[in-house]
Amino acid sequence: MSAPRCVLISGASRGLGAALAERFAAPGVTLRLVARGAEGLAATAARCVARGAIVETAAIDVRDGAALGAQVLAWDAASPIDCVVANAGISRGVAPDGAWEGAEGATAQVAVNLIGALHLIEPLLPALRARGAGRIVLVASVAAYRGLPDAPGYAASKAGLRAYGEGLRAALAPRAIGVTVVLPGFFDSAMGARWKGPRPLAMSLDRAADIVHRAILRGARRCAFPLPLAALLRLVDALPAGLSDWAVRRMRFRIAPEA
């Protein structure tokens, strides 16, 4: 596919969202960036403007479907969006002191990681379908392959996002709208720094962003990395349930609360 000229990215104030924005930023490219944090969003925008991009920002929580939908539709009416990246995400899990994530933690992750993505994408679907062009990118996780005992809410939110993206891809392909489902493993980020436990095959943020950016540009249907970790979790999920549960209990970790 040709490089997109108008890109909408959620969770763009830091981490992978910010790194992707910088990779798309170039003269003639318009970026629409969404995040909760206005300060981080402004910093990302400044770096993208320095690369020659036109940048518009909105400090909106993706859980606010009405506000986000109105902003997305206004932007698309001004100049059509041809690539939307649902990247905003949070993580919870069993805390270092052993405290369970609870209903509040689990539902918060579903609200941001899954429903927040729907709030971003669904308002655009009628316009994308009418134009018969565009690309939708959903940033899930390799945790979508198998529920994890120390982060069941996170795994559930990402599994739901993966299923939604796979369904969209099958539905929209006949209309020439591409969907890329991204399933990353460990990479350096503020979220990753809160993970207390083994981080097999962890990589730098720059490397992860390069992998995702290239996948989007080549129109990949799925981008799971690192491949050995993704393959391991898919294999574990294919095992009989009791054996699969035994295997994931060997992968224990803790998630520190957000500062």
Side-chain angles (χ1 to χ4, degrees):
M1 63 173 287
S2 58
R5 309 307 294 172
C6 187
V7 184
L8 168 62
I9 304 174
S10 67
S13 62
R14 61 182 184 176
L16 184 61
L20 287 175
E22 291 181 55
R23 280 156 177 76
F24 281 116
V29 172
T30 298
L31 296 174
R32 275 77 182 260
L33 308 180
V34 175
R36 287 180 298 168
E39 185 176 345
L41 201 55
T44 302
R47 294 193 298 271
C48 293
V49 167
R51 293 172 178 259
I54 298 169
V55 183
E56 299 172 85
T57 64
I60 300 174
D61 190 320
V62 295
R63 289 173 287 194
D64 188 342
L68 185 58
Q71 181 63 77
V72 166
L73 290 176
W75 274 337
D76 192 65
S79 59
I81 294 164
D82 56 8
C83 180
V84 52
V85 183
N87 168 76
I90 62 173
S91 66
R92 302 285 188 273
V94 177
D97 64 2
W100 190 247
E101 64 184 1
E104 182 179 356
T107 55
Q109 291 169 97
V110 172
V112 174
N113 301 350
L114 175 56
I115 298 175
L118 271 62
H119 287 162
L120 184 76
I121 293 166
E122 287 290 332
L124 276 176
L125 286 182
L128 292 175
R129 289 165 64 92
R131 293 194 287 265
R135 176 153 296 274
I136 298 167
V137 182
L138 303 100
V139 180
S141 165
V142 293
Y145 287 128
R146 177 51 169 90
L148 302 174
D150 291 314
Y154 181 77
S157 69
K158 293 300 189 177
L161 186 59
R162 178 195 171 205
Y164 173 68
E166 301 277 4
L168 273 187
R169 190 179 62 235
L172 297 177
R175 293 180 175 267
I177 300 166
V179 176
T180 300
V181 178
V182 181
L183 300 142
F186 298 102
F187 59 87
D188 298 334
S189 67
M191 185 185 295
R194 292 171 42 237
W195 178 285
K196 306 303 178 184
R199 302 174 74 241
L201 303 176
M203 62 181 65
S204 69
L205 172 61
D206 281 341
R207 184 180 174 201
D210 285 342
I211 291 171
V212 176
H213 185 236
R214 288 195 298 266
I216 296 169
L217 293 183
R218 71 172 184 271
R221 293 173 174 84
R222 187 184 294 144
C223 173
F225 64 94
L227 287 176
L229 182 59
L232 174 62
L233 287 171
R234 294 189 70 178
L235 174 62
V236 168
D237 183 54
L239 294 172
L243 187 55
S244 180
D245 290 348
W246 175 87
V248 294
R249 282 197 296 269
R250 317 267 79 72
M251 307 174 185
R252 306 314 296 264
F253 55 87
R254 292 290 186 265
I255 303 292
E258 290 181 319

